[in-house]
Amino acid sequence: MSDAPAISVSGLTKRFSGRTVVDHFDMDVPKGAIYGFLGPNGSGKTTTIRMMCGLLTPDEGTGTCLGFDILREQDRIKANVGYMTQKFSLYEDLTIRENLDFIAQMFGVKGRKKRVQAALEDLGLADRAGQLAGNLSGGWKQRLALAACMIHDPALLLLDEPTAGVDPKARRDFWDEIRKLSAQGVTVLVSTHYMDEAVQCDFIAYIAYGKKLISGVAQDIPKMIGLHTYRVTGPDITSLEVALKSEPAVVQVARFGAVLHVSGTDEAALSALADRYRAKGTHNWEQKPAELEEAFIYLMTGAADNFRGDLK
Ligand SMILES: Nc1ncnc2c1ncn2[C@@H]1O[C@H](COP(=O)(O)OP(=O)(O)OP(=O)(O)O)[C@@H](O)[C@H]1O
């Protein structure tokens, strides 16, 4: 990642029918970063991302994307953006190669044949180039969609819940590809509701009611929220989970198999609770650093609304 941000926006605001759906949004995105946008449905993630990339004109605010002005140079930005939406559609009656060739034509890609062949090879699709897109499994369709989005070598890639409905192996492979692109300097903006997509991101922004409540380096997010967590193991974890959920010091109990991650924002109160339960001698309580998994659950279950406006 270089020092000059790929995107720098400030005060972005959008209203639809008099309703403010994005409210004075500021952000710098480093070049080559994978930036995840989390938040409830309808919180304004897609609208924000589209404004940041010159795909939608803000009512207020300014900024640059890939060195171009988001208000005056939208066409130049668009030529450098790959956009993979959930509804990304391929031509099912065309082969993989024909699909890529068609999209390359639409973008006016120079040296088209070579570029299509390189894209097929990069994504491990060369052996299947003659197969009809309609016969591909979900994971391969998604690979093809990614190849299509990248055919014109964009510097910025937008992903909208990219691995929804794809099996775990295909998800991992997909993220390996995204990492490779990021290492090559492609900046990636991801809108997601999924934890396993969020944990792939270098940076996270949490948006609710059109406002950015938190943003920063992904691994710093738990600290920014102020979450403290204990890992709890022992017998009859289900009853313990129920009991802990009614403890005032506990803001969240997340279950990972037979292990509970018990989190709170008041460190002293949570520590006192751990001591009280430890004294019963039934369960093992071990303090652990809060990780993005806990922070993600905390944010997505709406607990973050409690500090609405307190954090940047
Ligand atoms: N073109 C539009 N005209 C009118 N209202 C819109 C338009 N686009 C979005 N909205 C509204 O703006 C709000 C924010 O929508 P947006 O799609 O940005 O949210 P989101 O966080 O991306 O949601 P999701 O997670 O469901 O995709 C929603 O209430 C939506 O209905």
Side-chain angles (χ1 to χ4, degrees):
M1 289 180 220
S2 82
D3 288 345
I7 303 175
S8 180
V9 293
S10 66
L12 292 188
T13 299
K14 188 74 189 173
R15 297 178 199 93
F16 288 119
S17 315
R19 191 167 62 95
T20 303
V21 300
V22 176
D23 194 359
H24 294 94
F25 182 91
D26 303 328
M27 180 173 276
D28 281 353
V29 180
K31 183 170 182 282
I34 303 179
Y35 216 121
F37 288 71
L38 312 180
N41 285 323
S43 59
K45 301 181 292 294
T46 308
T47 307
T48 303
I49 290 176
R50 295 187 71 216
M51 287 193 289
M52 290 167 77
C53 305
L55 301 176
L56 182 70
T57 306
D59 293 319
E60 282 176 43
T62 56
T64 58
C65 177
L66 305 172
F68 300 114
D69 189 289
I70 60 164
L71 299 173
R72 293 192 305 271
E73 295 176 296
Q74 296 189 333
D75 287 345
R76 299 191 70 178
I77 301 171
K78 280 181 204 164
N80 280 291
V81 172
Y83 197 178
M84 185 168 155
T85 67
Q86 280 172 296
K87 296 191 190 84
F88 188 93
S89 53
L90 296 159
Y91 295 92
E92 306 233 318
D93 297 335
L94 295 185
T95 66
I96 294 175
R97 186 188 298 279
E98 286 165 346
N99 263 288
L100 290 178
D101 195 59
F102 178 71
I103 292 161
Q105 270 189 58
M106 279 194 338
F107 277 104
V109 170
K110 294 203 181 81
R112 201 174 83 227
K113 290 253 154 0
K114 261 192 172 163
R115 180 69 194 99
V116 167
Q117 184 58 31
L120 289 166
E121 281 163 20
D122 277 358
L123 285 156
L125 289 165
D127 292 347
R128 296 163 180 257
Q131 202 172 323
L132 288 182
N135 295 339
L136 290 172
S137 68
W140 284 105
K141 269 191 183 147
Q142 192 203 33
R143 237 166 214 250
L144 176 55
L146 179 60
C149 290
M150 296 303 297
I151 200 80
H152 57 306
D153 276 326
L156 181 62
L157 179 60
L158 310 186
L159 303 172
D160 189 2
E161 292 188 3
T163 56
V166 175
D167 71 62
K169 160 91 170 65
R171 284 182 160 211
R172 276 196 302 277
D173 291 349
F174 179 83
W175 279 106
D176 286 346
E177 295 301 334
I178 298 298
R179 285 249 148 252
K180 270 193 226 160
L181 292 171
S182 144
Q184 290 160 16
V186 175
T187 304
V188 185
L189 306 185
V190 191
S191 162
T192 188
H193 293 109
Y194 295 104
M195 174 147 64
D196 62 348
E197 293 187 337
V199 297
Q200 297 284 351
C201 297
D202 304 318
F203 296 84
I204 296 285
Y206 177 79
I207 297 176
Y209 321 105
K211 283 190 192 274
K212 185 179 74 179
L213 298 189
I214 300 183
S215 66
V217 175
Q219 67 214 37
D220 294 344
I221 297 289
K223 207 177 253 173
M224 291 167 86
I225 296 172
L227 271 191
H228 303 275
T229 299
Y230 284 79
R231 186 178 184 279
V232 182
T233 50
D236 195 8
I237 215 80
T238 305
S239 306
L240 182 68
E241 183 180 1
V242 173
L244 288 172
K245 279 184 171 161
S246 60
E247 291 281 356
V250 174
V251 296
Q252 173 175 298
V253 184
R255 185 163 181 168
F256 296 90
V259 180
L260 298 182
H261 288 184
V262 181
S263 304
T265 48
D266 182 337
E267 190 173 14
L270 192 67
S271 166
L273 174 100
D275 288 345
R276 184 151 55 80
Y277 274 83
R278 270 195 198 111
K280 297 181 184 183
T282 49
H283 290 84
N284 182 38
W285 285 68
E286 188 190 329
Q287 190 157 19
K288 70 181 276 300
E291 289 171 88
L292 192 57
E293 276 89 348
E294 284 94 47
F296 176 86
I297 298 168
Y298 182 77
L299 291 170
M300 297 307 275
T301 51
D305 295 358
N306 297 336
F307 53 67
R308 187 180 176 187
D310 293 350
L311 290 163
K312 270 223 136 194

